[in-house]
Amino acid sequence: MDALTLLLNRRSASRLKTPAPQGEQLDNILAAGMRAPDHGALKPWHFVIMKDDGIKRFSELLEKAAIEGQLGEDVEEKARNAPFRAPLIITVIAKLKQHPKIPEWEQLVAASCTVQAMQMAAVAQGFGGIWRSGSWTEDAVVRAGLGCGENDRIVGFLYLGTPELKAPAKVQAPDMTGFVTYF
Ligand SMILES: Cc1cc2nc3c(=O)[nH]c(=O)nc-3n(C[C@H](O)[C@H](O)[C@H](O)COP(=O)(O)O)c2cc1C
C-alpha cells in the first residue's frame, strides 16, 4: 500500500484478533514511533508493550483501579475485559521534561505523533489498530502501575492486531468546507 493511499483511506479497527505484529513487524512499528517529529530530539516518550501475560497483568491493574476507586461491579468487569480486545497493546507515555526552548505542549504533541505513526506502521504491514484513552489515563493506580512519574502523561493505549472485519467501511472523501482557509 502506498503512503497516500494509506493516509487517505485509513480506518481504525476496534475488533482485533491474533496474529499480532511480532518480531520485525513489531520492531518496525516501534521504529516508526521513534521517528515521530520531535523538536529538539528530546524523545519525550516511553512505550510499554503488553502481550500475553502483559495483557493479563494490565487487566488486573485496571480491575484494581476500578476496585480501589469504588467504581462499581459493572466498571470492574469492563475494566477486567478491556485489555483482551486486542492481542497487543502499546501504552504510550509522554515523559515531559523541563526545557528552556521546548514547552511541554510540544513534547506532548510529539509523543502523540508516535501513536499515529505506530498505528499507520501496523496498517502498512497488514494489521489494524485503534488508539484508545479514557479515564484510566488519569487514574493514579493505573499511572503508578505503569511506572508513570509525576510529570508523565499517558497519551494512549494503542490496541493492535488483525482486524476481525476483512473490509472495513469505505472512507468517504472528506468535506473540507469550513476546515480550511487560504491566508
Ligand atoms: C487521543 C485519542 C483518544 C481516543 N480514545 C478513544 C477511546 O478511548 N475509545 C474509542 O473508541 N476511540 C478513541 N479514539 C478514537 C479512535 O482512535 C478512532 O479514531 C475513532 O474510533 C474513529 O475511527 P477512525 O480512526 O476509523 O476514523 C481516540 C482518539 C484519540 C486521538
Side-chain angles (χ1 to χ4, degrees):
M1 188 189 305
D2 70 77
L4 194 56
T5 304
L6 169 64
L7 290 174
L8 294 182
N9 294 283
R10 57 136 225 103
R11 289 301 314 262
S12 300
S14 56
R15 298 164 68 95
L16 298 157
K17 58 182 183 182
T18 54
Q22 54 185 315
E24 199 181 335
Q25 299 157 334
L26 178 55
D27 288 346
N28 286 337
I29 289 167
L30 297 169
M34 293 298 292
R35 286 294 304 124
D38 176 20
H39 193 180
L42 297 180
K43 305 232 175 308
W45 54 68
H46 186 81
F47 307 142
V48 182
I49 297 171
M50 298 152 171
K51 54 182 182 162
D52 306 320
D53 281 353
I55 299 265
K56 270 193 226 151
R57 278 192 290 274
F58 188 40
S59 159
E60 286 159 13
L61 179 62
L62 294 187
E63 185 181 28
K64 181 176 167 216
I67 292 168
E68 291 193 13
Q70 300 184 334
L71 301 178
E73 278 182 22
D74 286 355
V75 179
E76 280 169 35
E77 193 188 343
K78 239 179 127 181
R80 196 165 48 239
N81 292 334
F84 295 104
R85 290 176 292 181
L88 174 69
I89 302 170
I90 303 176
T91 296
V92 177
I93 301 172
K95 314 279 293 183
L96 306 177
K97 301 162 190 176
Q98 290 287 330
H99 192 281
K101 288 207 182 109
I102 299 155
E104 289 192 353
W105 76 263
E106 289 194 11
Q107 299 176 43
L108 190 58
V109 170
S112 304
C113 286
T114 72
V115 185
Q116 171 75 348
M118 290 194 284
Q119 187 173 344
M120 293 306 96
V123 176
Q125 297 180 99
F127 297 96
I130 183 165
W131 182 345
R132 294 186 184 274
S133 54
S135 56
W136 301 125
T137 58
E138 314 263 358
D139 185 277
V141 173
V142 175
R143 285 173 48 81
L146 295 177
C148 289
E150 205 179 311
N151 219 24
D152 295 349
R153 296 287 298 273
I154 298 173
V155 295
F157 305 108
L158 180 60
Y159 283 60
L160 295 173
T162 299
E164 278 188 14
L165 296 175
K166 282 224 156 37
K170 213 172 154 16
V171 173
Q172 306 269 320
D175 177 2
M176 289 178 265
T177 316
F179 290 94
V180 182
T181 49
Y182 289 83
F183 183 68

